[in-house]
Amino acid sequence: MGATADTGDQIGPARSRERFLQGDQVAGGVRSPILNSWLRCQSLGLSPEQTELPYRDDFDPDSRLVRAAAPVLDQLAYRFSGSQMNVCLADGEGTVLQRRFGEPSLAQGLPPIQSVPGFVFAERFAGTNGIGLALAERRLIQVYGAEHFAQRSQSNACSAIPIRDQLSGHVVGVLCFGYPHSYEDPALPALVRRAAESIERRLMEQRSARERALLRTYLDAGHLAQNGSDAGNGHPMGLAELGESGLDRGDQMLLKEKATELIGSAQRAAVEVALPHGRGVTLLSRLVTSRSGVEGVVVEAVLTGEAPPVHHISMAPHAGPPHGAPAGTPPHGSQAGPPPVHLPDGAAPTDRPPAAGPPRDGGAAPGAVRGLVLVGEPEVGKYAVAARSRLELLAEASTRIGTTLDVTRTALELAEMAVPRLADYVTIDLPEAVLRGEESADPRSELHRAVVHGIREDCPFYPVGQRVELRPGTPHMRCLDSGEAVLEADLRTAVGWIGQEPEHARRILAHDVHSLVSVPLLARGVLLGVASFYRSQDPAPFGDDDSRLAQELAARAALSIDNARRYTREHNLALALQRSLLPHGVPEQGAVEVAHRYLPAESGVGGDWFDVIPLSGTRVALLVGDVVGHGLHAAATMGRLRTAARNFAELELAPDELLTHLDNLLVRLDREEGGENASGSTGIVGATCLYAVYDPTTQLCTMARAGHPPPALVDPGGGVTFPELPAGPPLGLGGLPFETAEIRLPEGSTLVLYTDGLVEDRHRDIDVTLDQLSRILADPDRAPEETCQAVIDAMAPEHPADDIALLVARTRTLPADRLATWDVAADPALVAGVRAAATRQLADWGLDELSFAAELMLSELVTNAVRYGTEPIQVRLIHDRTLICEVSDGSNTAPHLRRAASTEEGGRGLFLVAQLAHAWGTRYTTHGKVIWAECALDAA
């Protein structure tokens, strides 16, 4: 292809080309197919001034492609008559076969390289040009002026498109239009496509004519007439007529499939086919040569009333996969009945009972019906078999790719589907961001090898986990840049691939890897990575049909990978939210020694939570809960419930009252979100909860549960029990009461709280798991941290379907010498005696520095109890991590902190307590209330 005239001015990216030749970066100013072609030309050592091209004089001027294209080329020459347009036809190797000129006289002023057929314009010889780039990119391309690599071509523009054999999909030629840049027309690409499609249709018409010639030769031989199957009228009985003998549409399709395989085998053969209804059919293939020399195969069917006696057939070795079929294509005859019996020309089928097929002379057995099934060329049969195999592969891929929501596993499923039926090795490279569930800002620069899978494990591809840095011009980078598949039929000449890392490429080639298809993983407009398919064992290189199959597989896998990526992102977000809402550590308290574990579900974050809440009077609250459902909604609901539970606990509510408030909260949340459900939102279903409060001064534990599994209790001797607590309804039902239970826990007892994910599983019996839990817990000398780990190691499923929250608390008891108690009568005169007793006790504890603050606080609190409360009145000092002063009385009326006016004489006592105390508050008991105040031990 060459210019028909010189425009006098350079067109295209002339400056970018100059910078490229000087070694500068020009990626932003040149189209990626052109830049990739320049890089390949540079790797090949081509010179822009190079003018010599290979010339071939052995091309066929009357080939099928030329005969199909000649009328189309003549029409184009007529259409562009008088213009400077030139049209050329090249074969699949880039050799020009025909040329047409809009103005025939133009050819006289052009050098032979631009006017005479036979010159080779493949990219590796001619540099960047229309024919060479169309063969490399395998699609319609346009090249303008300075985009050409060679100087001689820079005064023109061209449009070129591959011509394919519609049956096989192979590129068999190129149609190229050359013209001055001023002739550019937006309608030209559509015209180029229509012209190529017309040539492709004419190629298919030639094939039909060849098959008709084969059929005529077969009829002229009179095979069926000789056997008496058609009354001598010269027309064979076909499958339609055979259908009248009991063959339904399914039977006919099965016979056509088997006949296609026989045609592809290109051998004289007989094969028995067992139809679903038990009727026996023998398929016979005959070799036929038309008068014009076309070789083909005719397949006949011989029907009998019996099932075929397949045990009498002599089995010949299987033929290999059809030429051009994917690696792993089943041999002919392998899917329905035994393999064909191959016969030498002139021979009859092997011995079999007469009623089961034709006799030795080739005639039909008595009572048998015989008819024509298919006529075709072996090459066509091979393509048909390969096409059916590809359809079966795609159908299977739809069920085997995307079985999980794991990005890496989905990528591996793509590789497992392709090996060995399409490729011998598959590598998949994904950006690190995609593996994390995110979109990659630049997938070309952060690729990591995610999958390497093949027929052998010793092929030296980059290993899984290694960062893959791609150079411009490599098939993988061209694939990512263009968003389209890139086919390298012969890797030994793929300079871009070899140039990526020459030594690495040589090691791969040493394993007979010879062909490559790189396919982008694109889904919903997002580039997720690249899949590369390699062949080594199958000698046939990849073709366009293989490339399209790889694209279909990759497209299905990309959608599943994107679904997995999106799920991973949502899962990570939900998990991050849930972890942010769970405790980040255990608060300081002296009532229990605590350890905990949280194990999220493998698929979908749940709403399990736990909490440890220090309460007044050295008490501690232990809490576990489980929101029904999974995902962000469950995690957010869990956060709401945990926050509410902490707030209710701060109010010193009893366990049953706290659960009642949580139940009311969940009902309100469900009601508020009920209106959103109509628009697709997921409402709250419910939650379970177990709330326990342990008091180390009395060794009493008060518990209540809302539909939650009961705790496990380990006594100091190692005995394990599951206390029978009132079950209570799950949270969210509303209106039903909760009950409490009180249990005395000796010092050193262990209380184990857990969610149902630990003990409930559809594959495990609940009683068996509880027995297993009992055996694990029956070790009183083990610390809570060790107990947690032992339980998780032994009982947590390998792939948990539900979250697991585990809380292990070993009880402690406040020593008797750290507690002082005084009963006080309702007499103001006794307040001074209480102050004096408290001062002496503080001195015994070595807390003299706190005496002043403690005296003032006790004086105010006891005075208020005497004046406004009722008996019994009790004062208690607790020496723990802080100094706690408690005054209890029988009244339910609690004082309120307020700021007294300057004219008021009273009202300042509680304000003074609040200023002196580290914390203070009121809690209610069954017999009244307790007002308490804490003073830090270092407050003095």
Side-chain angles (χ1 to χ4, degrees):
M1 62 138 262
T4 58
D6 194 334
T7 62
D9 297 315
Q10 276 193 324
I11 56 175
R15 293 183 179 178
S16 295
R17 182 176 176 277
E18 291 177 4
R19 293 200 309 271
F20 171 80
L21 294 176
Q22 294 171 2
D24 297 338
Q25 295 290 330
V26 295
V30 184
R31 293 184 293 145
S32 60
I34 301 298
L35 179 58
N36 290 331
S37 179
W38 288 357
L39 290 167
R40 293 195 296 272
C41 295
Q42 192 178 60
S43 300
L44 289 166
L46 299 180
S47 169
E49 292 78 21
Q50 184 176 353
T51 58
E52 296 296 327
L53 290 181
Y55 178 78
R56 294 180 53 191
D57 57 5
D58 60 346
F59 66 91
D60 184 1
D62 192 36
S63 65
R64 290 180 58 225
L65 176 60
V66 172
R67 292 199 304 272
V72 179
L73 296 177
D74 291 340
Q75 292 176 10
L76 291 172
Y78 177 78
R79 179 187 181 99
F80 294 110
S81 177
S83 72
Q84 296 182 355
M85 177 74 73
N86 76 78
V87 182
C88 71
L89 175 74
D91 63 15
E93 300 297 325
T95 303
V96 174
L97 306 177
Q98 291 277 301
R99 286 190 179 273
R100 299 289 190 276
F101 294 91
E103 179 55 56
S105 62
L106 292 175
Q108 300 173 4
L110 293 176
I113 196 173
Q114 295 180 332
S115 59
V116 177
F119 286 96
V120 182
F121 281 84
E123 188 182 68
R124 65 181 182 274
F125 303 120
T128 307
N129 71 93
I131 294 175
L133 195 53
L135 289 173
E137 296 290 328
R138 312 181 84 78
R139 60 187 174 92
L140 173 66
I141 60 93
Q142 292 174 296
V143 185
Y144 304 98
E147 290 183 334
H148 290 85
F149 190 77
Q151 296 282 4
R152 63 172 177 271
S153 302
Q154 294 190 12
S155 59
N156 79 309
C158 62
S159 296
I161 188 171
I163 298 172
R164 290 180 167 84
D165 183 330
Q166 292 182 348
L167 185 63
S168 66
H170 294 164
V171 173
V172 295
V174 176
L175 180 65
C176 183
F177 287 50
Y179 47 89
H181 184 261
S182 59
Y183 200 82
E184 179 67 27
D185 190 312
L188 187 58
L191 175 63
V192 174
R193 283 194 176 92
R194 289 199 302 272
E197 290 169 358
S198 179
I199 296 174
E200 291 173 353
R201 284 195 300 271
R202 293 180 63 83
L203 282 170
M204 285 301 296
E205 290 171 1
Q206 289 182 13
R207 189 177 296 280
S208 299
R210 292 157 66 93
E211 290 182 348
R212 287 196 296 271
L214 289 172
L215 179 59
R216 175 50 52 194
T217 302
Y218 170 75
L219 294 176
D220 290 346
H223 289 294
L224 292 180
Q226 293 173 9
N227 292 301
S229 300
D230 64 345
N233 59 10
H235 297 285
M237 180 183 293
L239 277 180
E241 291 81 3
L242 289 177
E244 300 176 1
S245 301
L247 295 182
D248 58 23
R249 182 176 296 273
D251 296 336
Q252 296 178 33
M253 291 300 296
L254 177 60
L255 292 178
K256 283 184 177 181
E257 288 182 5
K258 296 300 301 178
T260 302
E261 295 179 3
L262 286 173
I263 291 174
S265 68
Q267 298 183 58
R268 182 176 173 85
V271 63
E272 306 286 7
V273 180
L275 298 180
H277 306 297
R279 190 167 188 181
V281 178
T282 302
L283 292 182
L284 302 176
S285 63
R286 297 177 181 272
L287 302 181
V288 180
T289 303
S290 71
R291 294 176 180 176
S292 60
V294 178
E295 296 181 352
V297 179
V298 175
V299 179
E300 302 170 352
V302 179
L303 282 70
T304 68
E306 304 175 7
V310 296
H311 57 279
H312 289 295
I313 298 177
S314 301
M315 299 296 179
H318 280 269
H323 179 70
T329 300
H332 304 295
S334 64
Q335 294 184 0
V341 180
H342 302 298
L343 307 174
D345 287 344
T350 53
D351 292 337
R352 58 177 65 84
R360 287 185 177 273
D361 62 0
V369 180
R370 188 168 181 172
L372 177 65
V373 180
L374 279 181
V375 177
E377 296 179 74
E379 185 180 6
V380 178
K382 294 171 186 176
Y383 291 142
V385 171
R388 189 170 76 246
S389 175
R390 290 183 174 92
L391 289 175
E392 293 171 353
L393 180 61
L394 289 174
E396 187 177 351
S398 64
T399 61
R400 290 185 53 189
I401 296 178
T403 59
T404 68
L405 288 171
D406 180 84
V407 172
T408 303
R409 177 59 200 167
T410 303
L412 179 59
E413 289 170 345
L414 167 61
E416 290 174 341
M417 280 302 306
V419 175
R421 297 165 71 177
L422 172 62
D424 296 314
Y425 298 96
V426 175
T427 65
I428 300 177
D429 303 323
L430 303 175
E432 188 175 10
V434 172
L435 297 173
R436 297 194 305 266
E438 305 167 4
E439 288 188 20
S440 173
D442 185 7
R444 298 163 184 81
S445 63
E446 57 172 27
L447 289 172
H448 284 72
R449 180 58 45 88
V451 171
V452 177
H453 182 66
I455 56 175
R456 294 169 54 185
E457 297 182 357
D458 60 345
C459 197
F461 292 102
Y462 295 136
V464 171
Q466 180 171 330
R467 184 181 179 90
V468 179
E469 298 183 3
L470 300 176
R471 291 179 53 186
T474 60
H476 311 78
M477 184 60 79
R478 289 159 52 200
C479 164
L480 293 171
D481 288 339
S482 65
E484 299 179 356
V486 173
L487 169 61
E488 289 285 0
D490 189 354
L491 284 176
R492 292 166 296 185
T493 61
V495 292
W497 178 75
I498 295 175
Q500 168 74 17
E501 189 176 332
E503 182 59 33
H504 182 68
R506 281 193 290 270
R507 290 198 301 269
I508 294 177
L509 291 173
H511 283 71
D512 297 324
V513 175
H514 59 80
S515 191
L516 162 68
V517 176
S518 287
V519 184
L521 297 173
L522 282 167
R524 303 182 179 94
V526 178
L527 183 59
L528 302 171
V530 59
S532 300
F533 303 82
Y534 297 87
R535 264 192 187 163
S536 64
Q537 196 172 47
D538 189 341
F542 284 119
D544 283 329
D545 46 356
D546 300 306
S547 177
R548 285 193 291 271
L549 176 59
Q551 291 178 70
E552 286 285 344
L553 290 174
R556 299 184 185 208
L559 191 60
S560 296
I561 289 174
D562 192 49
N563 290 338
R565 178 190 66 81
R566 290 167 178 249
Y567 168 78
T568 301
R569 179 186 61 191
E570 293 183 4
H571 180 75
N572 290 341
L573 286 174
L575 193 58
L577 172 62
Q578 187 179 44
R579 285 175 174 168
S580 70
L581 297 174
L582 289 172
H584 295 284
V586 177
E588 291 187 4
Q589 47 78 37
V592 291
E593 180 185 355
V594 177
H596 58 83
R597 288 291 186 278
Y598 179 79
L599 189 65
E602 188 174 75
S603 58
V605 174
D608 291 18
W609 86 95
F610 64 92
D611 214 341
V612 178
I613 308 171
L615 301 177
S616 63
T618 70
R619 297 172 307 138
V620 65
L622 305 174
L623 175 69
V624 290
D626 183 3
V627 176
V628 176
H630 292 82
L632 283 171
H633 191 265
T637 303
M638 176 273 288
R640 289 176 168 181
L641 287 177
R642 178 176 176 250
T643 301
R646 291 190 70 90
N647 292 334
F648 293 147
E650 292 289 341
L651 295 176
E652 302 283 0
L653 297 179
D656 57 338
E657 294 180 49
L658 183 139
L659 293 181
T660 299
H661 282 78
L662 290 180
D663 182 46
N664 294 336
L665 171 65
L666 206 53
V667 170
R668 286 196 300 274
L669 291 176
D670 201 10
R671 188 181 302 119
E672 291 170 2
E673 298 188 6
E676 300 178 8
N677 290 345
S679 61
S681 175
T682 302
I684 301 171
V685 177
T688 66
C689 184
L690 171 62
Y691 185 74
V693 176
Y694 173 68
D695 188 344
T697 65
T698 62
Q699 298 181 346
L700 292 178
C701 182
T702 306
M703 292 180 279
R705 63 187 179 116
H708 201 83
L713 179 60
V714 185
D715 62 42
V720 180
T721 58
F722 294 90
E724 291 293 335
L725 305 181
L731 302 177
L733 298 181
L736 298 176
F738 300 94
E739 299 180 56
T740 61
E742 194 171 75
I743 302 175
R744 182 175 296 277
L745 301 180
E747 183 176 7
S749 300
T750 301
L751 190 63
V752 181
L753 287 69
Y754 52 89
T755 55
D756 57 4
L758 181 69
V759 296
E760 294 184 10
D761 190 291
R762 63 175 178 269
H763 303 297
R764 299 184 296 177
D765 183 83
I766 182 66
D767 293 329
V768 174
T769 55
L770 290 178
D771 289 342
Q772 183 183 10
L773 179 61
S774 297
R775 290 193 299 271
I776 298 169
L777 296 176
D779 186 350
D781 298 327
R782 197 160 43 196
E785 186 67 30
E786 297 172 348
T787 300
C788 267
Q789 193 59 49
V791 170
I792 292 296
D793 291 344
M795 300 194 60
E798 184 177 355
H799 303 285
D802 194 8
D803 292 14
I804 296 175
L806 176 64
L807 192 63
V808 177
R810 175 179 289 175
T811 63
R812 295 168 176 160
T813 301
L814 187 72
D817 59 357
R818 293 294 188 97
L819 180 65
T821 305
W822 300 277
D823 294 323
V824 181
D827 183 358
L830 299 178
V831 175
V834 171
R835 289 200 302 267
T839 301
R840 290 192 298 271
Q841 184 62 61
L842 291 177
D844 292 342
W845 288 338
L847 302 177
D848 301 86
E849 296 85 353
L850 298 178
S851 296
F852 177 74
E855 279 190 80
L856 285 178
M857 290 190 295
L858 283 175
S859 180
E860 294 296 333
L861 295 178
V862 173
T863 300
N864 282 339
V866 170
R867 287 183 177 180
Y868 308 111
T870 60
E871 293 185 316
I873 300 172
Q874 188 180 73
V875 176
R876 190 165 70 160
L877 286 182
I878 303 174
H879 180 195
D880 193 45
R881 297 174 181 272
T882 61
L883 176 64
I884 304 173
C885 303
E886 294 184 346
V887 177
S888 62
D889 67 82
S891 170
N892 289 322
T893 303
H896 297 283
L897 179 66
R898 67 184 182 88
R899 185 178 293 278
S902 59
T903 58
E904 292 181 299
E905 295 183 359
R908 295 176 178 80
L910 201 56
F911 179 78
L912 182 61
V913 171
Q915 296 302 307
L916 293 173
H918 173 70
W920 75 279
T922 303
R923 69 174 182 268
Y924 293 92
T925 66
T926 55
H927 305 293
K929 67 175 182 297
V930 177
I931 302 177
W932 56 270
E934 291 185 7
C935 187
L937 297 183
D938 58 355

